[in-house]
């Protein structure tokens, strides 16, 4: 049996009404306005939202003695790289040192060096003769294993530094080897130059002397003040008395706002409402845009965005470049109860390629009615708000969520006046002389990381192939 | 115990009981319904959510999009000589609104044909752009510098793609990537010198290009939609920008398409030969099967609304090497990353994909869809569909789509409640009995399909299904 399409050539004169004409009488079924910018917004879906009464949320933590291993920011002028003097305060020994002039003198004496992949920047067992700041590139910190073989201790990326103990102890030796993985640009402060500055500035010398003498209070491996306990004892020994100290100035998160004024002409809102309410549709799309912005802020905001708020100790660099199963394993090993990965769709594709090239097929897992790619049973949720650099690098976030698990929580406040959705209000403002109505649409939100290890970030993930 | 065969040598024996041939005269024959090879599982029709298009037309309203215009150009060839179709040059963003076709004709004449072998560099990163390159046939990789100075593939160009059109507006611009051929390629090249000469000859073109530089670009998000101004992260009493969401002024309308046939049954057949099966019912059943097959074929191949033709150009990607590899499927998933619903591929393509998986030592688990085990990739089922064309050179396409009206996916359109409805969206209408006693029935199915937003559908093109490994 064949079904033929009608022959379109040599059309005889019409004998009945054409569809074009008939359409003038018929109604058209209309879709609601579609918007390409709407994404699944997984982050907003999986974060538990906690009510922040009073607009602020205080995260109380145990007292922590910070060691101060931050990152140093470098600035590029052409191919020359230099240090911002104030950033030198990230070096442990210089933590509370505020003399800009002396820091400036130190910063000036850094020399720029370039290393090729495989070059050794510092060698195990040799005397520490320089402070090294990695301006750009990736290097591996290699230690000696139990049986004399090499073990990778860490991957150092841009902004990391080592050898700063030189300031306190002139006779120290490297207890690891640092080897460049990619072409590296480093800034190095030779021992003599450091000594010169210390000799000329009595203030710096005095500060270092004081730091040397300062004893760090007892603390656990996270840097929290110790809770004294006694165990495994016999007899009538005196039990230690203790108390749990809190941070005296804990961090407070204030709710941030995303706002816009939606304008609609009264004539449009009054008349053109069948079958769809014009105001409702305008509001719906505006709210979608606000929610997209909200997710963007939760990832990228400099104050509370996960990428910026993640603890420096929880940021890893990829071992080689692309996101490999090894890197994700490393991320998972840094926290208990990892619940979700969050990655750019292109980073997920890059991870898929790495798995495939190793002959692995990680089982996808169901997440809230959908299916997501997963690694070790932890779903990898796509999020296009995670930035991808011009050179094709991105980040992968892993997190634990919820108040009970000391994880990441979203903050909002419900019950605000003129509430339209939880934590989002639509308020009628006025009608101006041009008969345009204005509505103020505001969303209030923030996100808090309860303890630092709740969020980990894998950085410099190369997504190109 | 021994079973002996009857001795055949001793002549015909008299039958002692009734033979089967005679017995059949008394018995009824159990009959199958008429079978048809053309029936396929038609997964697309089953999986698409069907939306009621009352009034016969469905309008897809979208947010206003400020199109940048990066289409594909097409070519004609006479023997080995390839020429670009002049009006197609309007796909260059700079020439989008150029009214004068004679200039385009002249420009098309200036293109020079070049052949490249695999692995050859067409343009080097950092050199000044001195030509516009159209890829007429073949595959070209765009390679850029990575974070640490290594080479990164930014994308793959295939037939109809072009690079270097920045030359039109800015003669001083530099290549921001290296273009290197993957397969042997035929390219059409417009050298900068020819273009400058053309500018001298055609003042209309020069005026048009000069006008472009002064134009203001409208604020748009990364999908090209006109911006909704939102401010966030502010404090204090700053002025909040007013905004509204603009819609496309002339949205696309999908009219229901029709597949029809006239089924003829002789009244004598329809009246008498109805035991045990109704002749008309069987005729209708097979006709409807054929109509439904045609319907699925149209949903994929129709030039107006078929998914293969309706997919956005930015949502089409060629395979990286040739056969459909897991990496290509991952790439598709990165393009439809918002809740992907299903893959659709020709059975041969699925087999080719299976080979590629096996070669890499991976075994993707299958998923359960309504009681059927369906092969899947990353949890997204891969449905077979034999309506996707396989070319003479054994290349085919793979579709990945998100479905449903609520999540702005792909929807099927039909209208239920039509007169003489026999199945949803399908009517059987009695036409009459003619003088030769033949009764006629008009069987019509009305359908269409709409892609609500472009990123709901992605197509992997040029998947080689018969590649020797």
């Amino acid at each position: 049996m064949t079904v033929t399409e009608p022959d379109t050539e040599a059309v005889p004169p019409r004998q009945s009404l054409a569809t074009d004409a008939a359409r003038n009488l018929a109604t058209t079924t209309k879709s609601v306005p579609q918007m390409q910018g709407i994404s699944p917004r997984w982050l907003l879906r999986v974060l538990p939202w906690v009510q922040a009464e009073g607009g602020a949320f205080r995260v109380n933590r145990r007292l922590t003695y910070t060691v101060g291993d931050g990152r140093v920011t470098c600035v590029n002028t052409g191919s020359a790289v230099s240090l911002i003097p104030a950033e030198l305060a990230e070096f442990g020994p210089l933590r509370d040192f505020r003399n800009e002039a002396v820091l400036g003198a130190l910063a000036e004496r850094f020399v720029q060096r370039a290393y090729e992949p495989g070059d050794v920047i510092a060698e195990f067992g040799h005397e520490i003769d320089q402070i090294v700041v990695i301006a750009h590139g990736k290097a591996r910190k290699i230690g000696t294993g139990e049986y004399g073989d090499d073990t990778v201790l860490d991957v150092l990326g841009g902004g990391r530094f080592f050898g700063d103990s030189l300031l306190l102890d002139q006779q120290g030796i490297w207890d690891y080897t640092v080897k460049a993985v990619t072409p590296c640009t480093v800034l190095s402060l030779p021992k003599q130059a450091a000594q010169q500055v210390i000799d000329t500035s009595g203030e710096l010398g005095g500060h270092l002397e004081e730091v040397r003498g300062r004893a760090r209070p007892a603390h656990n491996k996270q840097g929290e003040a110790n809770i004294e306990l006694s165990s495994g004892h016999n007899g009538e020994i005196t039990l230690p008395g203790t108390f749990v100290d809190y941070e005296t100035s804990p961090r407070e998160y204030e709710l941030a706002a995303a706002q816009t004024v939606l304008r609609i002409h009264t004539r449009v809102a009054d008349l053109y409402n069948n079958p769809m309410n014009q105001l409702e549709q305008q509001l719906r799309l505006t709210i979608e845009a606000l929610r997209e912005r909200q997710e963007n802020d939760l990832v990228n905001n400099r104050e509370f965005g996960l990428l910026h708020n993640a603890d420096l100790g929880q940021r890893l660099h990829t071992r080689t470049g692309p996101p490999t199963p090894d890197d994700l394993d490393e991320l998972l090993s840094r926290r208990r109860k990892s619940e979700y990965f969050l990655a750019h769709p292109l980073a997920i594709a890059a991870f898929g390629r790495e798995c495939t090239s190793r002959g692995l097929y990680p089982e996808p897992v169901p997440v809230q009615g959908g299916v997501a790619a997963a690694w070790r049973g932890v779903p990898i949720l796509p999020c296009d708000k995670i930035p991808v650099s011009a050179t094709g690098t991105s980040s992968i976030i892993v997190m634990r969520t919820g108040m009970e698990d000391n994880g990441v929580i979203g903050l909002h406040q419900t019950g605000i006046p003129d509430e339209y959705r939880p934590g989002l209000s639509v308020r009628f403002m006025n009608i101006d002389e041009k008969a345009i109505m204005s509505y103020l649409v505001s969303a209030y939100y923030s996100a808090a990381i309860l303890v630092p290890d709740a969020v980990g970030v894998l950085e410099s993930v190369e997504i190109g192939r | 115990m021994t079973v002996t065969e009857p001795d055949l040598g001793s002549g015909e024996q008299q039958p002692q009981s009734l033979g089967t041939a005679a017995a059949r005269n008394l018995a009824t024959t159990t009959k199958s319904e008429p079978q048809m090879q053309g029936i396929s599982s038609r997964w697309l029709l089953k999986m698409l959510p069907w939306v009621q298009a009352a009034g016969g037309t469905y309008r897809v309203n979208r947010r206003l999009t400020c199109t940048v215009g990066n289409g594909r150009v097409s070519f004609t060839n006479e023997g080995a000589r390839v020429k670009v179709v002049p009006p197609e040059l309007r796909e260059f963003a700079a020439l989008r609104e150029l009214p004068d076709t004679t200039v385009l004709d002249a420009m098309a004449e200036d293109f020079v044909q070049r052949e490249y072998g695999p692995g050859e560099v067409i343009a080097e990163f950092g050199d000044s752009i001195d030509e516009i390159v159209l890829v007429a046939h073949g595959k070209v990789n765009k390679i850029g510098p990575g974070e640490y100075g290594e080479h990164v593939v930014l994308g793959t160009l295939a037939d109809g793609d072009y690079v270097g059109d920045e030359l039109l507006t800015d003669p001083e611009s530099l290549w921001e990537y290296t273009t290197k051929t993957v397969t042997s390629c035929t390219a059409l090249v417009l050298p900068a010198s020819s273009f400058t000469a053309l500018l001298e000859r055609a003042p209309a073109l020069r005026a048009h290009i000069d006008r472009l530089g002064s134009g203001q670009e409208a604020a748009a998000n990364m999908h090209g939609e006109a911006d909704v101004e939102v401010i966030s992260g502010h404090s204090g009493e700053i002025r909040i920008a007013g905004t509204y969401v603009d819609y496309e002024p002339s949205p696309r309308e999908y009219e229901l398409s029709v597949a029809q046939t006239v089924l003829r049954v002789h009244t004598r057949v329809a009246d008498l030969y109805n035991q045990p099966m109704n002749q008309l019912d069987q005729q209708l059943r097979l006709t409807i099967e054929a109509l439904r097959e045609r319907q699925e074929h149209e949903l994929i191949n129709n030039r107006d609304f078929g998914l293969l033709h309706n997919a956005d150009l930015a949502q089409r990607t060629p395979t990286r090497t040739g056969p459909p590899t897991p990496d290509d499927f991952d790439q598709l998933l990165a393009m439809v990353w918002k809740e992907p619903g299903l893959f659709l591929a020709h059975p041969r393509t699925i087999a080719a994909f299976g080979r590629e998986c096996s070669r890499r030592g991976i075994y993707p688990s299958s998923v359960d869809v309504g009681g059927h085990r369906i092969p899947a990739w990353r949890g997204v089922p891969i449905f077979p569909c034999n309506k996707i064309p396989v070319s003479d050179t054994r290349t085919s396409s793979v579709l990945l789509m998100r479905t449903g009206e609520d999540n702005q996916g792909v929807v099927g359109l039909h209208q239920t409640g039509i007169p003489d409805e026999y199945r949803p969206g399908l009517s059987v209408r009695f036409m009459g009995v003619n003088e030769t006693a033949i009764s006629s029935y008009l069987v019509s199915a009305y359908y269409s399909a709409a892609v609500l937003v472009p990123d709901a559908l992605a197509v992997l093109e040029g998947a080689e299904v018969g590649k020797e490994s």
Side-chain angles (χ1 to χ4, degrees), chain A residues 3 23 27 29 31 34-36 38 136 259-261 263 282 293 297 361 363 391 462 464-465, chain B residues 54 57 59 61 63 147 150 153 225 229-232 234 243 245 253 255 294 320 338 378 408:
Chain A
V3 184
R23 273 180 56 186
T27 36
T29 308
S31 77
Q34 305 289 316
M35 170 167 166
Q36 291 183 60
I38 300 177
H136 185 78
Q259 289 182 311
T260 190
V261 174
R263 298 217 186 93
Q282 285 282 317
R293 172 66 70 93
D297 274 358
Y361 180 78
E363 278 299 304
T391 48
E462 292 175 27
R465 38 192 159 90
Chain B
T57 314
R59 182 183 301 153
N61 287 304
R63 266 178 67 185
E147 178 73 13
E150 73 283 24
V153 178
E225 293 174 338
E229 299 247 2
V230 175
I231 59 164
S232 69
H234 53 282
T243 194
V245 189
E253 293 190 351
E255 280 195 65
R294 170 61 73 97
R320 277 150 29 88
K338 303 167 182 171
R378 308 250 184 254
Q408 307 196 113

Side-chain angles (χ1 to χ4, degrees), chain A residues 29-32 34, chain B residues 49 51-52 58 403-411 452:
Chain A
T29 308
K30 289 154 287 277
S31 77
V32 296
Q34 305 289 316
Chain B
V51 171
Q52 170 81 347
Y58 187 79
T403 57
E405 202 175 19
D406 294 339
N407 40 16
Q408 307 196 113
V410 179
V411 292
L452 296 186

Side-chain angles (χ1 to χ4, degrees), chain A residues 432-449:
Chain A
D432 69 4
E433 271 112 67
K434 291 179 210 134
I436 294 175
M437 288 194 284
S438 301
Y439 289 87
L440 176 67
V441 188
S442 333
Y444 301 103
Y445 51 84
S446 187
I449 299 174

Side-chain angles (χ1 to χ4, degrees), chain A residues 204-403:
Chain A
L204 179 58
H207 175 82
L208 292 177
E209 199 55 47
E210 187 219 349
V211 171
R212 239 172 253 138
R214 196 192 294 163
R216 202 167 162 224
H219 59 88
N220 67 8
K221 71 174 189 194
Q222 280 86 18
E224 295 172 340
N226 246 1
I227 301 176
E228 298 290 341
L229 300 169
S230 156
S231 66
H233 51 273
N234 277 324
E236 302 173 345
I237 64 158
T238 319
L239 295 178
T242 192
F243 68 99
V244 186
D245 210 351
Y246 303 141
E247 249 174 44
T248 43
S249 52
R251 170 142 189 208
E252 286 190 3
Y253 292 86
E254 282 198 60
L255 291 187
Q259 289 182 311
T260 190
V261 174
L262 176 65
R263 298 217 186 93
I264 186 162
H265 202 282
T266 40
R267 188 163 164 188
V268 170
D270 289 349
L271 299 179
Y272 298 87
N273 285 328
N274 227 324
M276 280 170 252
N277 187 310
Q278 293 283 356
L279 176 62
E280 249 172 48
Q281 291 303 327
Q282 285 282 317
L283 263 180
R284 183 179 73 87
L285 294 183
T286 310
I287 289 172
E288 292 287 352
L290 269 181
R291 291 293 193 208
E292 291 293 326
R293 172 66 70 93
Q294 177 176 355
E295 192 183 45
N296 186 45
D297 274 358
L298 288 184
V299 173
N300 293 310
N301 187 290
R302 297 203 72 85
E303 295 281 315
F304 58 83
L306 295 181
L307 279 182
H308 295 279
N309 209 3
D311 194 72
L312 285 170
Q314 296 293 335
R315 294 173 186 217
L316 306 176
H317 281 272
T318 51
R319 281 157 176 252
T320 49
T324 58
D326 302 355
D327 292 319
L328 264 60
D329 277 340
E330 182 73 35
L331 261 188
L332 287 178
S333 74
R334 299 293 182 99
R335 74 195 41 69
R336 68 189 164 94
K337 227 177 160 182
S338 299
E339 278 175 279
Y340 304 104
F341 286 107
L342 220 55
H344 193 276
L346 291 171
I348 298 179
F351 176 66
R353 284 200 296 276
E354 291 302 316
C355 286
T356 304
S357 70
R358 282 167 178 72
L360 293 172
Y361 180 78
E363 278 299 304
V365 297
V367 191
Q368 297 193 356
V371 203
W375 178 246
R376 308 265 183 232
V378 179
I380 309 175
L381 304 176
C383 172
D384 62 343
K385 312 298 184 303
I386 297 175
V388 174
S389 76
T391 48
T393 61
S394 181
S395 304
I396 294 178
I397 300 175
V398 64
M399 60 184 179
R400 175 175 73 224
T401 62
M403 199 83 146

Side-chain angles (χ1 to χ4, degrees), chain B residues 304-315:
Chain B
D304 186 31
F305 59 82
L307 297 181
L308 277 180
H309 297 279
N310 211 359
D312 196 72
L313 282 173
Q315 291 289 110

